[in-house]
């Protein structure tokens, strides 16, 4: 890290406290944000985090995690993933104000600690992470909408790609209407209601099916080599379940004291907030065994209107959840082009329609081109979630606490860095193999 230069400056308008900032002279200029900073309660932030883990993605974990890992590996893996993810997230939260500066973006913190190269690498890694997550949300939205349609018209005329296009258009409209993450306030309540509906329906109908069904097959499918790669891919999915790769960006919205309040939000996420995803995953696998789908509502049986309600709420919630993960991209673009003032000003509306619409149009096209949801979950976990969630936080924490750490504590965090680097490399190979296999089995724009 370069020499620190001490200076006093005023934080953003939404947080007028004067802070002593240590500034590293980087070649990369970090612009002031035009989104809100320090305005949200810890509870609202906790709901944002819980919205991410209880999104419609939760309907797929019985098929993408439990099926390749089985009862023992799946349950132990999910519990360990919960605990390890909480631990890693708290490490990130504790260094949010490292060096006397509030780091509202992951890349800013990396640049402050390591320099310009790390700033660029983390920026690229994080945006790849968010882009792949958003691809998954649009695939999910399309799957949910198709499942809703098939309940009433199973004529095979409407293909999955058409529903993905509709989901993408809905995401564009929502992105135009909601300018920032903090503007989601009422939408977070609506999102929570939607999540409660489809998760409750999936849980109850799967439970009923499981009670009435004959014994299920819980054996792990595939040959030995296939089981190896699917197991490694499932490990990446485990990381994907609980982690956003954008803790600093979410923490940027929380009120002071930012570390204490973010820790409260994380404890909420990993306690009460994680109960639904665990429950629906275990019950789904118990009910359907190795035939569990990557979209659980395709497995359940029950009244048409109940399944229709669950599918349409899953579709709508995917739109809101995508917005959360797209907000760092929107924040960068809004700040770069100085999109400020009234959210309904013609210039601002036109900018959001053009720029956000273009970003989501590309996302939608790729979603329709390769709609292999489980594979994208594995790829996302390997490429970016492992580094952003486990590898970097441990190494950053070593740097931040180096004067206070014993050799044993430092060795512990270095061991985490090495271990998760090896797992991430293996998961990356497995993810590319899964995509290659599925690309051979299914053509582009497949109607899955």
């Amino acid at each position: 890290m370069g020499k620190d230069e001490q200076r006093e400056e005023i934080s953003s308008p939404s947080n007028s406290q004067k802070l002593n900032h240590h500034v590293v002279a980087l070649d990369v200029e970090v612009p002031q944000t035009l989104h809100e900073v320090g305005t949200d309660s810890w509870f609202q932030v906790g709901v944002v985090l819980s919205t991410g883990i209880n999104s419609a993605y939760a309907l797929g974990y019985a098929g993408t995690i439990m099926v390749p890992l089985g009862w023992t590996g799946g349950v132990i893996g999910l519990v360990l993933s919960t605990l390890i993810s909480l631990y890693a997230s708290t490490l990130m939260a504790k260094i949010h104000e490292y060096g006397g500066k509030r780091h509202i973006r992951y890349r800013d913190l990396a640049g402050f600690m390591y320099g310009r190269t790390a700033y660029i690498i983390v920026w690229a890694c994080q945006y790849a992470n968010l882009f792949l997550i958003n691809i998954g949300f649009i695939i999910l939205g399309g799957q949910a909408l198709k499942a809703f349609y098939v309940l009433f018209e199973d004529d095979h005329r409407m293909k999955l790609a058409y529903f993905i296009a509709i989901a993408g258009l809905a995401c564009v409209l929502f992105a135009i209407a909601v300018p920032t993450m903090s503007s989601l306030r009422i939408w977070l309540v609506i999102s929570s209601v939607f999540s409660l509906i489809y998760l409750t329906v999936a849980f109850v109908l799967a439970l009923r099916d499981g009670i009435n069904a004959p014994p299920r097959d819980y054996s792990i499918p595939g040959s030995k080599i296939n089981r190896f790669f699917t197991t490694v891919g499932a490990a990446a999915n485990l990381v994907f379940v609980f982690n956003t790769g954008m803790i600093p960006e979410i923490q940027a919205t929380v009120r002071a004291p930012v570390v204490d309040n973010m820790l409260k939000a994380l404890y909420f996420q990993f306690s009460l907030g994680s109960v639904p995803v665990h429950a629906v995953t275990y019950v789904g696998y118990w009910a359907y065994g190795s035939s569990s789908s990557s979209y659980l509502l395709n497995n359940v049986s029950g009244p048409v209107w109940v399944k229709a309600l669950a599918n349409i709420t899953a579709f709508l919630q995917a739109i809101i959840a995508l917005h959360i993960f797209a907000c760092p991209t929107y924040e960068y673009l809004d700040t770069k082009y100085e999109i400020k003032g009234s959210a309904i000003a013609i210039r601002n509306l036109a900018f959001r329609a053009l720029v956000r619409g273009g970003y989501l149009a590309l996302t939608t096209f790729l979603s329709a081109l390769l709609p292999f949801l489980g594979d994208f979950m594995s790829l996302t976990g390997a490429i970016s979630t492992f580094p952003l969630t486990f590898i970097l936080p441990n190494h950053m924490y070593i740097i931040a606490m180096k004067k206070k750490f014993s050799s044993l504590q430092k060795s512990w965090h270095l061991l985490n860095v090495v271990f998760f680097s090896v797992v991430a490399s293996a998961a990356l190979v497995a993810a590319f193999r899964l995509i290659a296999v599925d690309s051979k089995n299914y053509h582009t724009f497949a109607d899955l």
Side-chain angles (χ1 to χ4, degrees):
M1 184 176 71
K3 293 183 179 179
D4 288 353
E5 176 186 351
Q6 185 79 16
R7 76 178 183 186
E8 182 173 293
E9 64 185 25
I10 304 297
S11 62
S12 62
S14 59
N15 183 16
S16 59
Q17 281 187 313
K18 291 185 178 180
L19 300 173
N20 288 327
H21 288 217
H22 296 285
V23 179
V24 175
L26 299 178
D27 292 335
V28 177
E29 180 182 356
V30 182
Q32 285 253 341
T33 182
L34 294 180
H35 284 202
E36 295 178 79
V37 174
T39 60
D40 300 340
S41 68
W42 71 263
F43 182 74
Q44 179 172 330
V45 174
V47 173
V48 168
L49 292 165
S50 299
T51 296
I53 65 173
N54 291 300
S55 68
Y57 271 115
L59 296 171
Y61 299 142
T64 59
I65 291 175
M66 298 299 293
V67 169
L69 295 180
W71 273 119
T72 303
V75 173
I76 292 175
L78 271 173
V79 172
L80 284 178
S81 178
T82 306
L83 297 175
I84 295 170
S85 298
L86 171 60
Y87 174 69
S89 296
T90 59
L91 295 183
M92 283 300 298
K94 289 175 182 178
I95 58 176
H96 186 74
E97 295 180 310
Y98 171 69
K101 180 179 177 63
R102 187 165 186 178
H103 304 280
I104 64 172
R105 306 178 187 94
Y106 205 138
R107 63 185 185 273
D108 294 351
L109 179 59
F112 188 83
M113 286 188 161
Y114 303 116
R116 180 178 182 274
T117 301
Y119 177 98
I120 295 171
I121 292 173
V122 168
W123 192 1
C125 188
Q126 185 186 38
Y127 279 78
N129 178 61
L130 299 176
F131 185 65
L132 289 169
I133 289 173
N134 289 335
I135 285 177
F137 274 120
I138 292 181
I139 294 173
L140 273 171
Q143 285 183 333
L145 200 57
K146 181 184 177 183
F148 174 83
Y149 176 83
V150 167
L151 290 172
F152 303 99
E153 290 288 341
D154 194 7
D155 54 14
H156 301 289
R157 287 185 297 178
M158 288 288 287
K159 307 299 183 184
L160 178 59
Y162 303 154
F163 294 106
I164 286 176
I166 295 171
L169 177 60
C171 290
V172 171
L173 296 176
F174 192 80
I176 295 170
V178 182
T180 68
M181 190 183 296
S182 292
S183 302
L184 281 168
R185 291 181 179 88
I186 186 60
W187 290 105
L188 291 175
V189 177
I190 296 171
S191 174
S192 297
V193 172
F194 288 159
S195 295
L196 184 63
I197 291 172
Y198 62 72
L199 290 174
T200 300
V201 169
F203 180 88
V204 172
L205 294 184
L207 183 64
R208 190 183 71 168
D209 287 348
I211 292 172
N212 296 326
R216 274 77 69 194
D217 177 17
Y218 296 111
S219 62
I220 299 174
S223 63
K224 285 186 178 180
I225 186 66
N226 285 336
R227 286 202 300 269
F228 171 78
F229 282 108
T230 54
T231 298
V232 174
N237 291 345
L238 283 170
V239 176
F240 180 86
V241 175
F242 299 105
N243 300 289
T244 62
M246 49 184 278
I247 289 293
E249 286 80 1
I250 294 177
Q251 192 169 359
T253 68
V254 76
R255 297 172 193 152
V258 294
V259 173
D260 289 343
N261 281 336
M262 188 62 183
L263 291 177
K264 290 178 184 178
L266 289 169
Y267 295 146
F268 176 85
Q269 175 197 6
F270 286 99
S271 56
L272 185 63
S274 67
V275 170
V277 66
H278 278 273
V280 78
T281 300
Y282 301 145
V283 169
Y285 184 61
W286 169 76
Y288 308 109
S290 58
S291 63
S292 300
S293 168
S294 61
Y295 183 65
L296 190 59
L297 292 177
N298 286 337
N299 285 113
V300 301
S301 59
V304 170
W305 72 269
V306 174
K307 294 172 65 176
L309 177 64
N311 280 300
I312 204 66
T313 52
F315 164 71
L316 294 171
Q317 199 274 347
I319 296 169
I320 300 172
L322 179 145
H323 192 78
I324 294 173
F325 290 93
C327 272
T329 303
Y330 299 160
E331 184 273 335
Y332 166 73
L333 293 168
D334 290 352
T335 301
K336 180 177 177 63
Y337 294 102
E338 298 186 352
I339 303 302
K340 53 189 175 182
S342 172
I344 59 173
I346 297 299
R347 176 178 179 266
N348 295 347
L349 285 171
F351 180 86
R352 293 202 297 274
L354 179 63
V355 176
R356 297 185 182 187
Y359 169 79
L360 290 170
L362 176 61
T363 307
T364 302
F365 173 76
L366 292 176
S367 302
L369 184 69
L370 295 169
F372 313 130
L373 181 60
D375 299 350
F376 274 108
M377 288 165 58
S378 299
L379 184 62
T380 304
I383 287 180
S384 47
T385 311
F386 267 116
L388 294 173
T389 303
F390 297 123
I391 300 171
L392 272 176
N394 274 282
H395 195 266
M396 286 177 166
Y397 203 65
I398 292 173
I399 294 175
M401 304 297 290
K402 60 184 177 182
K403 294 182 179 179
K404 299 179 180 180
F405 267 176
S406 66
S407 58
L408 181 61
Q409 289 173 310
K410 183 178 179 180
S411 298
W412 162 249
H413 288 284
L414 284 175
L415 178 63
N416 285 333
V417 170
V418 173
F419 173 75
F420 287 114
S421 296
V422 172
V423 176
S425 300
L428 181 62
V429 174
F432 278 124
R433 182 182 182 276
L434 288 171
I435 290 176
V437 169
D438 281 341
S439 297
K440 291 178 181 178
N441 294 337
Y442 303 102
H443 56 78
T444 54
F445 299 103
D447 186 32
L448 303 179

